């Protein structure tokens, strides 16, 4: 279910590493757990993000969840289409439902992330 | 990403959980299951989800399994007269074949033990549908006060309850051979596949619809008939997640959140469901005093001005002030309006049309105090 070419976090986020940048989203497992997503709050372009800090939120019909910064970096792009169509995070979490793109301030931070197999093992526990 | 709050509708954790008579059907439909008052019930279905299921009920028809609801028969000479000395509403306002929203109030505190629907079968027999989690307590109170000859029978596991809700509900019921068209809050006795079905013009969604009470053993055949015939009408199986967004759009209170032992029927503005002129009923003294004092908080509706979605427990204040004027008791995203809606227990100084501020997760979101319902529907037509 989860693509092998991505990196993952125990908070059910994924990262696609593109050179010194990373595209960040939430996993299929996460969107399934949340249910219908009705609002996505994202950090602003230019914001510096620090690992572990809450940088946004995903609100579903039943609850709200924090979006945690998975790596240190600076936000360079955000998926503006989610303002009008937050449900895309449910329907295409690894594609059109991406959340933000950041430049990595510490490329080595990526090494601490989970690979596809490790994430799969985590969610099947 | 991590969940910041749990499901609002918790069951009694660690105790025995009853499956619905339709449990296998829910598994077959890929339902996400959750505990409601000690029952394992569908929250939403695979391929559906709260938004689609909600839209099906508002636009076409949805079928809910609400078999977790309590079912209690009270029987014996003078049953209706006896219940009229206990429950808040006045059964003399309705005749046999009619149902009534009523409350079981704690006599000492005026708190709401439960809110329930009473179906008047005859002066000597009344059928009650309390909330799942409160059924045992309602039965205990009614049993302990009952005179000789009146029996309170807890039939929680004997019957299934299916709710058929939405503008195409009448057509769907006719397609499976059940009677339709009777008045809002009335019920008729019928049969399906040889089993008795009570067809009630009641519901918790705000749409025109019916609730069907049938023996548990007959539940699967009735469910299958409805789902098969319903494909012509775009029916969806709907879970309790959509039931909650639907009832919140109507401003219907949920016991345990908007009305409880701590939030009285007067505070929840359910005075219309109280038979004030009756000689006695549980809580009459306390509720009358509350009604006269006009001092306590009142339950009101909130509509978000922006993107905020209020959740139960969040504090409500006035713009530019840190002082709290109350708290949110129910709050969700309205799929119909596509904005946040809520019910909140607010000081009497707050009125409809006022702007308030709901504190959420480190920021404040503006809401306007608004009289429910939040959407216009055809529930009574």
């Amino acid at each position: 279910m989860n693509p092998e070419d991505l990196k993952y976090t125990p908070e059910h986020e994924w990262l696609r590493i593109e050179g010194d940048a990373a595209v960040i989203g939430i996993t299929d497992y996460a969107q399934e757990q949340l249910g219908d997503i009705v609002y996505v709050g994202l950090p602003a372009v230019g914001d510096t993000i620090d690992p572990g800090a809450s940088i946004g939120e995903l609100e579903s019909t039943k609850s709200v969840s924090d979006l945690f910064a998975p790596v240190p970096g600076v936000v360079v792009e955000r998926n503006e289409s989610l303002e009008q169509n937050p449900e895309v995070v449910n329907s295409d979490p690894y594609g059109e439902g991406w959340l933000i793109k950041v430049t990595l301030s510490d490329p080595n931070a990526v090494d601490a992330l989970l690979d596809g197999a490790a994430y799969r093992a985590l969610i099947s526990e | 990403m991590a969940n910041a709050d749990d499901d609002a509708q918790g069951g009694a954790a660690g105790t025995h959980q009853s499956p619905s008579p339709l449990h296998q059907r829910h598994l077959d439909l890929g339902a996400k299951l959750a505990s409601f008052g000690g029952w394992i019930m569908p929250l939403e279905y695979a391929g559906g989800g709260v938004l689609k299921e909600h839209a099906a009920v508002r636009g076409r028809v949805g079928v809910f399994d609400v078999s977790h609801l309590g079912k209690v028969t009270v029987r014996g000479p003078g049953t209706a007269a006896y219940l009229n000395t206990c429950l808040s509403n006045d059964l003399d306002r309705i005749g046999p074949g009619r149902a009534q929203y009523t409350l079981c109030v704690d006599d000492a505190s005026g708190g709401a033990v439960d809110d329930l629907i009473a179906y008047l079968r005859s002066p000597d027999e009344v059928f009650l549908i309390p909330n799942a989690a409160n059924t045992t307590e309602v039965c205990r109170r009614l049993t302990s006060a009952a005179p000789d000859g009146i029996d309170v029978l807890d039939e929680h596991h004997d019957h299934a309850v299916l709710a058929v809700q939405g503008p195409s509900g009448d057509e769907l019921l006719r397609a499976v051979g059940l009677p339709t068209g009777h008045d809002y809050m009335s019920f008729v006795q019928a049969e399906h596949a040889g089993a008795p079905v009570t067809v009630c013009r009641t519901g918790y969604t705000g749409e025109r619809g019916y609730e069907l009470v049938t023996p548990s053993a007959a539940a699967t055949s009735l469910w299958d008939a409805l789902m098969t015939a319903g494909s012509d009408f775009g029916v969806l199986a709907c879970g309790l997640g959509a039931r909650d967004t639907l009832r919140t759009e109507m401003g219907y209170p949920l016991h345990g959140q908007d009305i409880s032992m701590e939030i009285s029927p007067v505070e929840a503005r359910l005075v219309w469901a109280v038979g004030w002129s009756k000689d006695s009923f549980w809580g009459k003294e306390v509720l009358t005093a509350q009604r006269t004092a006009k001092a306590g908080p009142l339950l009101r509706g909130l509509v978000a001005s922006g993107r905020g979605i209020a959740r139960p427990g969040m504090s409500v204040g006035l713009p530019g002030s840190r002082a709290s004027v109350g708290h949110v008791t129910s709050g969700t995203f309205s799929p119909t309006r596509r904005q946040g809606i809520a019910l909140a227990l607010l000081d009497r100084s707050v009125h409809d049309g006022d702007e308030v501020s709901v504190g959420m997760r480190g920021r404040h979101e503006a809401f306007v105090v608004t009289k429910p319902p939040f959407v216009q529907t055809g529930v009574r037509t």
Side-chain angles (χ1 to χ4, degrees):
Chain A
M1 206 64 180
N2 51 313
E4 288 297 331
D5 59 334
L6 303 179
K7 293 289 191 180
Y8 297 89
T9 74
E11 282 78 36
H12 308 290
E13 290 160 14
W14 59 257
L15 296 90
R16 178 178 293 112
I17 309 303
E18 299 177 348
D20 65 350
V23 178
I24 298 169
I26 67 165
T27 67
D28 185 62
Y29 176 84
Q31 70 79 19
E32 174 72 23
Q33 292 295 311
L34 272 171
D36 289 338
I37 292 165
V38 296
Y39 174 70
V40 179
L42 297 175
V45 170
D47 279 4
T48 298
I49 63 171
D50 297 308
S54 173
I55 55 169
E57 60 191 16
L58 292 111
E59 189 116 31
S60 74
T61 49
K62 69 165 195 169
S63 68
V64 58
S65 296
D66 279 311
L67 177 68
F68 291 111
V71 287
V74 175
V75 179
V76 291
E77 210 178 328
R78 31 184 266 160
N79 187 347
E80 301 291 349
S81 72
L82 300 179
E83 171 79 12
Q84 288 304 314
N85 301 299
E87 67 278 7
V88 177
V89 179
N90 289 117
S91 60
D92 191 10
Y94 299 113
E96 295 296 314
W98 65 278
L99 302 178
I100 54 171
K101 186 173 181 178
V102 301
T103 53
L104 301 167
S105 54
D106 174 14
N108 293 329
V110 171
D111 298 340
L113 301 171
L114 305 173
D115 63 14
Y119 180 68
R120 209 159 42 249
L122 178 81
I123 59 176
S124 60
E125 271 173 9
Chain B
M1 205 212 71
N3 252 6
D5 59 6
D6 289 321
D7 290 345
Q9 338 264 355
T15 58
H16 176 71
Q17 303 284 313
S18 299
S20 151
L22 293 161
H23 189 67
Q24 188 57 48
R25 287 293 179 271
H26 303 323
L27 295 180
D28 295 345
L29 287 167
K32 266 189 221 172
L33 301 169
S35 173
F36 286 80
W39 290 64
I40 303 289
M41 300 301 293
L43 195 59
E44 60 181 43
Y45 293 91
V50 171
L51 297 179
K52 282 183 189 167
E53 293 166 20
H54 183 107
V57 172
R58 288 277 180 257
R60 305 186 306 276
V61 61
V63 178
F64 301 77
D65 176 16
V66 288
S67 298
H68 61 304
L69 295 174
K71 309 98 187 172
V72 180
T73 293
V74 187
R75 185 184 290 149
T79 286
Y82 161 62
L83 289 177
N84 230 12
T85 65
C86 308
L87 305 178
S88 69
N89 211 333
D90 189 351
L91 283 167
D92 288 342
R93 288 175 180 169
I94 62 169
R98 298 271 165 171
Q100 182 180 67
Y101 177 83
T102 190
L103 296 143
C104 178
V105 178
D106 180 63
D107 196 48
S109 69
V113 176
D114 199 16
D115 60 346
L116 56 168
I117 306 286
Y119 298 81
L120 183 62
R121 289 174 173 157
S122 80
D124 301 325
E125 188 170 314
V126 177
F127 184 64
L128 302 175
I129 299 206
N131 284 290
N134 302 327
T135 300
T136 303
E137 180 60 16
V138 170
C139 284
R140 190 189 67 75
R141 290 180 182 234
L142 290 176
T143 301
S144 64
D148 285 350
I150 290 181
D151 295 317
V152 178
L153 309 167
D154 184 347
E155 302 170 343
H156 210 147
H157 292 265
D158 300 349
H159 310 280
V161 185
L162 305 188
V164 178
Q165 303 277 300
S168 300
D170 286 57
E171 290 171 280
L172 174 52
L173 254 57
R174 284 198 291 276
V176 301
L178 290 173
T180 61
H182 39 297
D183 288 345
Y184 183 57
M185 298 300 282
S186 73
F187 60 98
V188 297
Q189 201 54 43
E191 266 194 16
H192 181 266
V197 182
T198 307
V199 181
C200 315
R201 215 11 245 297
T202 48
Y204 195 48
T205 64
E207 289 303 324
R208 184 182 169 88
Y210 299 86
E211 289 175 308
L212 312 175
V213 182
T214 197
S216 295
T220 302
S221 104
L222 181 58
W223 173 273
D224 290 348
L226 289 166
M227 295 308 289
T228 302
S231 63
D232 289 347
F233 309 106
V235 73
L236 276 190
C238 296
L240 299 181
R243 192 165 182 260
D244 193 56
T245 53
L246 288 158
R247 72 93 192 167
T248 306
E249 284 189 346
M250 296 305 293
Y252 293 161
L254 173 64
H255 190 276
Q257 289 184 205
D258 314 299
I259 181 168
S260 65
M261 285 298 273
E262 286 73 44
I263 304 175
S264 83
V266 171
E267 293 167 341
R269 300 170 100 191
L270 297 170
V271 293
W272 58 271
V274 179
W276 297 102
S277 62
K278 294 195 297 182
D279 287 341
S280 65
F281 58 89
W282 292 339
K284 182 177 181 182
E285 206 171 305
V286 179
L287 294 186
T288 301
Q290 285 183 5
R291 195 184 183 209
T292 310
K294 291 185 169 39
L298 293 175
L299 192 69
R300 293 188 185 272
L302 304 179
V303 174
S305 305
R307 300 301 296 263
I309 301 174
R311 302 291 180 183
M314 288 178 175
S315 180
V316 181
L318 298 176
S321 161
R322 295 202 173 271
S324 169
V325 293
H327 68 276
V328 174
T329 54
S330 283
T332 189
F333 174 80
S334 162
T336 304
R337 297 179 61 132
R338 301 193 63 80
Q339 63 191 147
I341 56 171
L343 298 174
L345 193 66
L346 302 176
D347 290 353
R348 292 235 175 193
S349 57
V350 182
H351 298 97
D352 290 341
D354 289 357
E355 186 175 292
V356 294
S357 165
V358 178
M360 51 184 77
R361 301 158 59 68
R363 63 175 198 278
H364 291 271
E365 290 279 348
F367 283 71
V368 175
V369 182
T370 306
K371 187 178 164 59
F374 301 114
V375 300
Q376 296 306 317
T377 67
V379 62
R380 289 165 187 272
T381 55

